[in-house]
Amino acid sequence: MAKFSKETGIFIDLKAAGKLTKNYRVDQLDRKKHKDPVMSQFFGLDKLQELLSQEGTVGLRIYYGLDVDGDGKADKKFVLTATDAEGNDIFPAQTRSLEKKASANSGALMTDGFCPFDCPKISNPLNSDSE
């Protein structure tokens, strides 16, 4: 099996997932002293399907990003990109460089999911210490 394939990743149970997210929350709140750490972001199914339907896509890569737009607050963002079997990020031809003229609606890269304040409303093991 190729290193980068449609089968990459493992499913875990809720207890294991809760432990991972709790470790992150503790790290961000206690060790790094962030008041409101970004714990998650939501992305809609239609946008994800559009991103993953690009030719040659076998998976998804998620980058951590920081939006420093002059408002005095650095906003954490995720940047999602489709990835091919060689592990390369997939971009449409017109966005292979850092051209400013490239279409933002090309379906190649995605950001601006929303959270943490918009979701989820109900505490669960992924977002709190609830069991």
Side-chain angles (χ1 to χ4, degrees):
M1 183 166 72
K3 184 174 183 177
F4 295 92
S5 77
K6 293 180 180 182
E7 295 298 319
T8 300
I10 60 169
F11 289 105
I12 59 176
D13 63 27
L14 183 56
K15 185 175 181 177
K19 184 176 180 179
L20 291 173
T21 60
K22 181 179 180 178
N23 290 343
Y24 175 79
R25 287 191 311 276
V26 167
D27 177 69
Q28 294 296 297
L29 293 168
D30 293 346
R31 194 171 72 80
K32 295 185 179 167
K33 307 297 184 204
H34 292 296
K35 276 190 342 187
D36 297 312
V38 172
M39 294 185 291
S40 66
Q41 289 186 342
F42 169 84
F43 295 92
L45 180 61
D46 290 346
K47 295 292 186 179
L48 288 169
Q49 287 176 331
E50 183 178 343
L51 182 69
L52 294 172
S53 69
Q54 295 175 97
E55 186 176 334
T57 298
V58 299
L60 178 71
R61 178 171 286 120
I62 302 172
Y63 287 96
Y64 296 101
L66 200 57
D67 181 14
V68 183
D69 59 8
D71 67 357
K73 183 178 177 190
D75 300 311
K76 293 178 183 173
K77 302 275 185 167
F78 294 111
V79 177
L80 286 64
T81 180
T83 307
D84 68 18
E86 301 299 316
N88 299 308
D89 297 334
I90 297 175
F91 311 117
Q94 74 270 21
T95 61
R96 292 200 190 277
S97 67
L98 296 176
E99 300 173 34
K100 292 187 178 184
K101 296 178 185 175
S103 169
N105 296 321
S106 62
L109 300 165
M110 191 164 55
T111 193
D112 277 349
F114 56 86
C115 282
F117 307 109
D118 295 321
C119 61
K121 301 292 185 213
I122 299 171
S123 293
N124 67 60
L126 298 179
N127 64 25
S128 68
D129 290 336
S130 66
E131 294 292 323

PDB file of all heavy atoms in Angstrom, residues 9 13 31 34 37 53-54 56 61 68-69 72-73 81 92-93 97 99 101 103 112:
ATOM      1  N   GLY A   9      -4.995   6.539   7.802  1.00  0.00           N
ATOM      2  CA  GLY A   9      -5.716   6.964   8.996  1.00  0.00           C
ATOM      3  C   GLY A   9      -6.312   5.769   9.709  1.00  0.00           C
ATOM      4  O   GLY A   9      -6.423   4.685   9.139  1.00  0.00           O
ATOM      5  N   ASP A  13     -11.917   5.170  19.149  1.00  0.00           N
ATOM      6  CA  ASP A  13     -13.176   5.300  19.880  1.00  0.00           C
ATOM      7  C   ASP A  13     -13.251   6.675  20.545  1.00  0.00           C
ATOM      8  O   ASP A  13     -12.280   7.432  20.597  1.00  0.00           O
ATOM      9  CB  ASP A  13     -13.360   4.160  20.882  1.00  0.00           C
ATOM     10  CG  ASP A  13     -12.305   4.120  21.982  1.00  0.00           C
ATOM     11  OD1 ASP A  13     -11.725   5.176  22.326  1.00  0.00           O
ATOM     12  OD2 ASP A  13     -12.061   3.027  22.504  1.00  0.00           O
ATOM     13  N   ARG A  31      -0.636  25.332  29.976  1.00  0.00           N
ATOM     14  CA  ARG A  31       0.786  25.517  29.689  1.00  0.00           C
ATOM     15  C   ARG A  31       1.053  26.785  28.889  1.00  0.00           C
ATOM     16  O   ARG A  31       1.956  27.549  29.190  1.00  0.00           O
ATOM     17  CB  ARG A  31       1.335  24.302  28.942  1.00  0.00           C
ATOM     18  CG  ARG A  31       2.856  24.251  28.899  1.00  0.00           C
ATOM     19  CD  ARG A  31       3.352  22.947  28.352  1.00  0.00           C
ATOM     20  NE  ARG A  31       3.140  22.787  26.937  1.00  0.00           N
ATOM     21  CZ  ARG A  31       3.912  23.330  25.986  1.00  0.00           C
ATOM     22  NH1 ARG A  31       4.948  24.051  26.309  1.00  0.00           N
ATOM     23  NH2 ARG A  31       3.658  23.135  24.725  1.00  0.00           N
ATOM     24  N   HIS A  34      -3.409  30.347  26.895  1.00  0.00           N
ATOM     25  CA  HIS A  34      -4.361  30.939  25.963  1.00  0.00           C
ATOM     26  C   HIS A  34      -5.724  31.008  26.645  1.00  0.00           C
ATOM     27  O   HIS A  34      -6.175  30.030  27.238  1.00  0.00           O
ATOM     28  CB  HIS A  34      -4.488  30.096  24.691  1.00  0.00           C
ATOM     29  CG  HIS A  34      -3.267  30.106  23.838  1.00  0.00           C
ATOM     30  ND1 HIS A  34      -2.791  31.246  23.234  1.00  0.00           N
ATOM     31  CD2 HIS A  34      -2.411  29.123  23.493  1.00  0.00           C
ATOM     32  CE1 HIS A  34      -1.700  30.957  22.555  1.00  0.00           C
ATOM     33  NE2 HIS A  34      -1.444  29.673  22.696  1.00  0.00           N
ATOM     34  N   PRO A  37      -8.578  29.160  23.324  1.00  0.00           N
ATOM     35  CA  PRO A  37      -7.904  28.440  22.234  1.00  0.00           C
ATOM     36  C   PRO A  37      -8.906  27.915  21.204  1.00  0.00           C
ATOM     37  O   PRO A  37     -10.022  27.538  21.557  1.00  0.00           O
ATOM     38  CB  PRO A  37      -7.221  27.280  22.951  1.00  0.00           C
ATOM     39  CG  PRO A  37      -8.051  27.052  24.167  1.00  0.00           C
ATOM     40  CD  PRO A  37      -8.547  28.412  24.582  1.00  0.00           C
ATOM     41  N   SER A  53     -12.992  16.161  -4.602  1.00  0.00           N
ATOM     42  CA  SER A  53     -13.333  15.615  -5.922  1.00  0.00           C
ATOM     43  C   SER A  53     -12.341  16.032  -7.005  1.00  0.00           C
ATOM     44  O   SER A  53     -12.490  15.653  -8.166  1.00  0.00           O
ATOM     45  CB  SER A  53     -14.746  16.051  -6.323  1.00  0.00           C
ATOM     46  OG  SER A  53     -14.779  17.446  -6.572  1.00  0.00           O
ATOM     47  N   GLN A  54     -11.300  16.779  -6.645  1.00  0.00           N
ATOM     48  CA  GLN A  54     -10.300  17.168  -7.628  1.00  0.00           C
ATOM     49  C   GLN A  54      -9.545  15.939  -8.139  1.00  0.00           C
ATOM     50  O   GLN A  54      -9.277  15.007  -7.376  1.00  0.00           O
ATOM     51  CB  GLN A  54      -9.319  18.165  -7.016  1.00  0.00           C
ATOM     52  CG  GLN A  54      -9.995  19.471  -6.636  1.00  0.00           C
ATOM     53  CD  GLN A  54      -9.041  20.398  -5.937  1.00  0.00           C
ATOM     54  OE1 GLN A  54      -8.473  21.279  -6.557  1.00  0.00           O
ATOM     55  NE2 GLN A  54      -8.868  20.192  -4.640  1.00  0.00           N
ATOM     56  N   GLY A  56      -7.076  13.166  -9.013  1.00  0.00           N
ATOM     57  CA  GLY A  56      -5.868  12.654  -8.378  1.00  0.00           C
ATOM     58  C   GLY A  56      -5.884  12.681  -6.858  1.00  0.00           C
ATOM     59  O   GLY A  56      -4.927  12.249  -6.215  1.00  0.00           O
ATOM     60  N   ARG A  61      -5.077  17.200   3.507  1.00  0.00           N
ATOM     61  CA  ARG A  61      -4.058  17.680   4.439  1.00  0.00           C
ATOM     62  C   ARG A  61      -4.621  18.929   5.100  1.00  0.00           C
ATOM     63  O   ARG A  61      -5.256  19.751   4.456  1.00  0.00           O
ATOM     64  CB  ARG A  61      -2.757  18.009   3.713  1.00  0.00           C
ATOM     65  CG  ARG A  61      -1.705  18.569   4.673  1.00  0.00           C
ATOM     66  CD  ARG A  61      -0.324  18.701   4.032  1.00  0.00           C
ATOM     67  NE  ARG A  61       0.254  17.373   3.891  1.00  0.00           N
ATOM     68  CZ  ARG A  61       0.610  16.840   2.711  1.00  0.00           C
ATOM     69  NH1 ARG A  61       0.458  17.512   1.594  1.00  0.00           N
ATOM     70  NH2 ARG A  61       1.128  15.623   2.668  1.00  0.00           N
ATOM     71  N   VAL A  68      -3.312  37.213  10.763  1.00  0.00           N
ATOM     72  CA  VAL A  68      -2.935  38.455  11.436  1.00  0.00           C
ATOM     73  C   VAL A  68      -3.347  39.582  10.498  1.00  0.00           C
ATOM     74  O   VAL A  68      -2.629  39.938   9.576  1.00  0.00           O
ATOM     75  CB  VAL A  68      -1.417  38.496  11.729  1.00  0.00           C
ATOM     76  CG1 VAL A  68      -1.032  39.747  12.492  1.00  0.00           C
ATOM     77  CG2 VAL A  68      -0.992  37.258  12.496  1.00  0.00           C
ATOM     78  N   ASP A  69      -4.553  40.098  10.728  1.00  0.00           N
ATOM     79  CA  ASP A  69      -5.131  41.046   9.777  1.00  0.00           C
ATOM     80  C   ASP A  69      -5.146  42.484  10.262  1.00  0.00           C
ATOM     81  O   ASP A  69      -5.848  43.324   9.730  1.00  0.00           O
ATOM     82  CB  ASP A  69      -6.541  40.613   9.389  1.00  0.00           C
ATOM     83  CG  ASP A  69      -7.474  40.512  10.578  1.00  0.00           C
ATOM     84  OD1 ASP A  69      -7.090  40.926  11.686  1.00  0.00           O
ATOM     85  OD2 ASP A  69      -8.592  40.016  10.402  1.00  0.00           O
ATOM     86  N   GLY A  72      -5.290  43.404  15.758  1.00  0.00           N
ATOM     87  CA  GLY A  72      -4.643  43.236  17.044  1.00  0.00           C
ATOM     88  C   GLY A  72      -4.786  41.848  17.622  1.00  0.00           C
ATOM     89  O   GLY A  72      -4.258  41.552  18.680  1.00  0.00           O
ATOM     90  N   LYS A  73      -5.491  40.979  16.916  1.00  0.00           N
ATOM     91  CA  LYS A  73      -5.689  39.616  17.405  1.00  0.00           C
ATOM     92  C   LYS A  73      -5.260  38.633  16.334  1.00  0.00           C
ATOM     93  O   LYS A  73      -5.657  38.753  15.182  1.00  0.00           O
ATOM     94  CB  LYS A  73      -7.169  39.395  17.739  1.00  0.00           C
ATOM     95  CG  LYS A  73      -7.444  38.042  18.324  1.00  0.00           C
ATOM     96  CD  LYS A  73      -8.910  37.889  18.686  1.00  0.00           C
ATOM     97  CE  LYS A  73      -9.156  36.494  19.199  1.00  0.00           C
ATOM     98  NZ  LYS A  73     -10.567  36.204  19.351  1.00  0.00           N
ATOM     99  N   THR A  81      -6.291  21.312   2.093  1.00  0.00           N
ATOM    100  CA  THR A  81      -5.944  21.102   0.700  1.00  0.00           C
ATOM    101  C   THR A  81      -6.066  19.612   0.364  1.00  0.00           C
ATOM    102  O   THR A  81      -5.807  18.757   1.210  1.00  0.00           O
ATOM    103  CB  THR A  81      -4.515  21.603   0.380  1.00  0.00           C
ATOM    104  OG1 THR A  81      -4.236  21.379  -0.998  1.00  0.00           O
ATOM    105  CG2 THR A  81      -3.459  20.918   1.212  1.00  0.00           C
ATOM    106  N   PRO A  92      -5.216  23.859  -8.527  1.00  0.00           N
ATOM    107  CA  PRO A  92      -5.497  24.055  -9.962  1.00  0.00           C
ATOM    108  C   PRO A  92      -4.319  24.763 -10.619  1.00  0.00           C
ATOM    109  O   PRO A  92      -3.564  25.466  -9.946  1.00  0.00           O
ATOM    110  CB  PRO A  92      -6.738  24.948  -9.966  1.00  0.00           C
ATOM    111  CG  PRO A  92      -7.360  24.741  -8.640  1.00  0.00           C
ATOM    112  CD  PRO A  92      -6.217  24.482  -7.688  1.00  0.00           C
ATOM    113  N   ALA A  93      -4.170  24.587 -11.903  1.00  0.00           N
ATOM    114  CA  ALA A  93      -3.033  25.154 -12.631  1.00  0.00           C
ATOM    115  C   ALA A  93      -2.867  26.645 -12.375  1.00  0.00           C
ATOM    116  O   ALA A  93      -1.757  27.130 -12.236  1.00  0.00           O
ATOM    117  CB  ALA A  93      -3.179  24.881 -14.125  1.00  0.00           C
ATOM    118  N   SER A  97       1.284  28.896  -8.297  1.00  0.00           N
ATOM    119  CA  SER A  97       2.241  29.845  -7.726  1.00  0.00           C
ATOM    120  C   SER A  97       1.467  30.740  -6.764  1.00  0.00           C
ATOM    121  O   SER A  97       0.285  30.552  -6.548  1.00  0.00           O
ATOM    122  CB  SER A  97       2.880  30.683  -8.834  1.00  0.00           C
ATOM    123  OG  SER A  97       1.911  31.512  -9.425  1.00  0.00           O
ATOM    124  N   GLU A  99       0.292  33.574  -7.213  1.00  0.00           N
ATOM    125  CA  GLU A  99      -0.328  34.652  -7.979  1.00  0.00           C
ATOM    126  C   GLU A  99      -1.476  35.263  -7.199  1.00  0.00           C
ATOM    127  O   GLU A  99      -2.314  34.562  -6.660  1.00  0.00           O
ATOM    128  CB  GLU A  99      -0.927  34.114  -9.286  1.00  0.00           C
ATOM    129  CG  GLU A  99       0.039  33.464 -10.213  1.00  0.00           C
ATOM    130  CD  GLU A  99      -0.709  32.814 -11.380  1.00  0.00           C
ATOM    131  OE1 GLU A  99      -1.734  33.354 -11.805  1.00  0.00           O
ATOM    132  OE2 GLU A  99      -0.255  31.776 -11.846  1.00  0.00           O
ATOM    133  N   LYS A 101      -3.786  36.959  -8.649  1.00  0.00           N
ATOM    134  CA  LYS A 101      -4.935  36.965  -9.542  1.00  0.00           C
ATOM    135  C   LYS A 101      -5.694  35.642  -9.529  1.00  0.00           C
ATOM    136  O   LYS A 101      -6.751  35.539 -10.123  1.00  0.00           O
ATOM    137  CB  LYS A 101      -4.492  37.268 -10.974  1.00  0.00           C
ATOM    138  CG  LYS A 101      -3.899  38.635 -11.150  1.00  0.00           C
ATOM    139  CD  LYS A 101      -3.448  38.847 -12.579  1.00  0.00           C
ATOM    140  CE  LYS A 101      -2.751  40.174 -12.731  1.00  0.00           C
ATOM    141  NZ  LYS A 101      -2.201  40.349 -14.069  1.00  0.00           N
ATOM    142  N   SER A 103      -8.150  32.676  -8.739  1.00  0.00           N
ATOM    143  CA  SER A 103      -9.519  32.704  -8.247  1.00  0.00           C
ATOM    144  C   SER A 103      -9.605  32.111  -6.846  1.00  0.00           C
ATOM    145  O   SER A 103      -9.125  31.017  -6.585  1.00  0.00           O
ATOM    146  CB  SER A 103     -10.418  31.904  -9.190  1.00  0.00           C
ATOM    147  OG  SER A 103     -11.682  31.709  -8.589  1.00  0.00           O
ATOM    148  N   ASP A 112     -11.646  29.186   6.844  1.00  0.00           N
ATOM    149  CA  ASP A 112     -12.803  29.880   7.417  1.00  0.00           C
ATOM    150  C   ASP A 112     -13.960  28.972   7.790  1.00  0.00           C
ATOM    151  O   ASP A 112     -15.118  29.328   7.636  1.00  0.00           O
ATOM    152  CB  ASP A 112     -13.298  31.009   6.511  1.00  0.00           C
ATOM    153  CG  ASP A 112     -12.496  32.284   6.721  1.00  0.00           C
ATOM    154  OD1 ASP A 112     -11.716  32.340   7.697  1.00  0.00           O
ATOM    155  OD2 ASP A 112     -12.645  33.213   5.925  1.00  0.00           O
TER     156      ASP A 112
END
